Amino acid sequence: QVQLVESGGGLVQAGGSLRLSCAASGSIFRIVAAGWYRQAPGKQRELVASISTSDKINYADSVKGRFTISRDNAKDTVYLQMNSLKPEDTAVYYCNANGYVFGQFVNYWGQGTQVTVSS
């Protein structure tokens, strides 16, 4: 069974940093594109950053210059480095990835990891 396992969330003071990781469990899922989303209480889930098959990267305007998405293909892992965190970055962060399992194109969501930024 394929899962996306997220880690790295936690509580941090404003101005601090966190690095989120999203790893595909098992050895049969190859991530080709991925995105990090977040959902704050009472708000819709929003795309924070994405990386395409060709490594084209996009960021939400609210995180440009502060967040960096990257990938390690050898580890089938996607990262989100978050610097200069603000209280408004507080949310549950989700990883979403496209890839192939035995030649079939699939899409998975991670379970989410809580990021809380205190002022």
Side-chain angles (χ1 to χ4, degrees):
Q1 183 178 358
V2 176
Q3 287 184 320
L4 292 180
V5 180
E6 298 157 355
S7 61
L11 173 64
V12 65
Q13 288 188 335
S17 298
L18 286 173
R19 189 175 82 152
L20 306 183
S21 298
C22 172
S25 66
S27 61
I28 61 174
F29 181 49
R30 293 292 177 258
I31 296 175
V32 297
W36 284 97
Y37 293 73
R38 68 185 180 187
Q39 188 167 19
K43 295 188 176 181
Q44 289 189 334
R45 190 173 296 189
E46 62 174 351
L47 178 63
V48 175
S50 64
I51 183 166
S52 74
T53 306
S54 58
D55 287 338
K56 180 180 178 182
I57 291 175
N58 287 295
Y59 296 101
D61 288 342
S62 58
V63 306
K64 282 181 180 177
R66 300 188 298 121
F67 290 11
T68 303
I69 188 171
S70 62
R71 62 196 295 170
D72 184 333
N73 291 331
K75 296 181 179 180
D76 275 312
T77 300
V78 179
Y79 304 97
L80 185 68
Q81 177 67 43
M82 305 185 295
N83 299 328
S84 302
L85 282 162
K86 304 175 181 180
E88 50 264 43
D89 294 319
T90 296
V92 178
Y93 284 70
Y94 298 90
C95 174
N96 179 266
N98 295 324
Y100 291 90
V101 175
F102 299 124
Q104 295 292 320
F105 184 80
V106 294
N107 178 271
Y108 291 106
W109 285 93
Q111 80 284 359
T113 185
Q114 177 70 47
V115 171
T116 303
V117 184
S118 63
S119 57

